[in-house]
Amino acid sequence: MLITKDFSFEEFIIGIWNEHVEKWGYVILFFWSILEGELGLIFAGFAAHDGKLNLALTIFVAGIGGFVGDQIYFYIGRYNKKLIQKKLHTQRRKFAVAHLLLQRFGWPIIFIQRYMYGFRTIIPMSIGITRYSAKKFAFINLISAWVWATITILLAWYFGALIEEFLAWAKHHWYYAAILIVALLSVLLFSFKQMEKAILKHKKEQQ
């Protein structure tokens, strides 16, 4: 397959999902949950809503996939110093914030990080760098992954019809939908940037 500059991983995997969901849905969901965030879970919730997948099994598989993904990042932090040094060079600020969050909140940050845009890979790696217990991380990570999968998939499953109506509306009014999405993403990014600044500022004041 020729991959051009216009290649989109999300579009590629969505195409595979739409074509093979009924036969290979659980397998695709597992690997999608390792590589990506909520989008795969939302699609899985839609499929369960339409009866193409079993709801309980969908949540179980997605949770295992999310667990495996964060375990990989954790062990990259623990055993791959070259990659971490490269990451530290390009994302030093995020690693500093992740370390401070771990110091301040402890294990609950493993739950929170799944909902923190820009920190999904940084926090597991930053925890891996420390002497944090691998067994404790794995246990909390597993519970966190299943909670994350349950909340996201159930919302997509329960509100499936409503979301489909919105998508149909967005297709015919894409300009309004685009403005809404950009606005929401801007608010989200601004909030996390402000959080980063506040955490780093608080650390400097304590020094």
Side-chain angles (χ1 to χ4, degrees):
M1 179 181 66
L2 179 64
I3 298 179
T4 67
K5 292 182 179 179
D6 296 327
F7 174 79
S8 168
F9 173 76
E10 286 188 358
E11 290 180 3
F12 172 71
I13 199 167
I14 288 171
I16 293 177
W17 175 266
N18 290 334
E19 187 175 351
H20 302 287
V21 60
E22 294 188 59
K23 187 175 182 180
W24 299 102
Y26 300 111
V27 175
I28 298 170
L29 176 61
F30 173 74
F31 287 103
W32 201 349
S33 300
I34 293 175
L35 297 171
E36 213 262 341
E38 284 74 24
L39 186 60
L41 275 64
I42 292 171
F43 272 79
F46 289 162
H49 174 81
D50 293 337
K52 295 176 181 178
L53 297 176
N54 176 271
L55 179 62
L57 186 55
T58 298
I59 292 172
F60 177 82
V61 171
I64 293 295
F67 164 78
V68 171
D70 278 5
Q71 288 298 120
I72 291 171
Y73 293 126
F74 176 85
Y75 283 107
I76 286 174
R78 183 140 297 186
Y79 297 115
N80 196 327
K81 292 183 179 180
K82 289 184 178 180
L83 179 61
I84 291 302
Q85 288 172 353
K86 182 179 179 181
K87 283 283 187 181
L88 280 170
H89 180 71
T90 58
Q91 302 190 51
R92 185 179 300 274
R93 180 177 178 138
K94 287 189 181 296
F95 269 94
V97 171
H99 183 67
L100 291 172
L101 286 171
L102 181 62
Q103 284 185 325
R104 185 171 181 179
F105 297 106
W107 66 264
I109 198 62
I110 300 173
F111 273 87
I112 299 171
Q113 61 92 13
R114 295 184 183 279
Y115 308 94
M116 296 175 63
Y117 182 81
F119 287 87
R120 291 286 298 273
T121 61
I122 298 297
I123 288 179
M125 283 193 285
S126 66
I127 296 174
I129 294 171
T130 69
R131 296 181 179 179
Y132 199 88
S133 168
K135 291 182 179 179
K136 185 176 180 180
F137 176 83
F139 175 75
I140 298 171
N141 181 33
L142 179 61
I143 302 302
S144 170
W146 272 330
V147 170
W148 167 71
T150 301
I151 293 173
T152 309
I153 291 174
L154 279 180
L155 285 173
W157 170 77
Y158 186 79
F159 294 104
L162 186 62
I163 295 172
E164 287 175 356
E165 287 179 11
F166 172 77
L167 292 176
W169 172 86
K171 185 176 181 180
H172 293 91
H173 303 84
W174 61 269
Y175 34 89
Y176 292 127
I179 292 171
L180 180 61
I181 292 170
V182 170
L184 289 173
L185 289 176
S186 297
V187 171
L188 187 64
L189 288 171
F190 177 77
S191 299
F192 281 121
K193 287 293 182 183
Q194 291 301 109
M195 181 196 71
E196 287 181 24
K197 290 180 181 179
I199 292 172
L200 292 173
K201 182 180 179 181
H202 180 71
K203 180 63 175 180
K204 287 181 180 179
E205 290 174 350
Q206 288 184 326
Q207 291 177 344

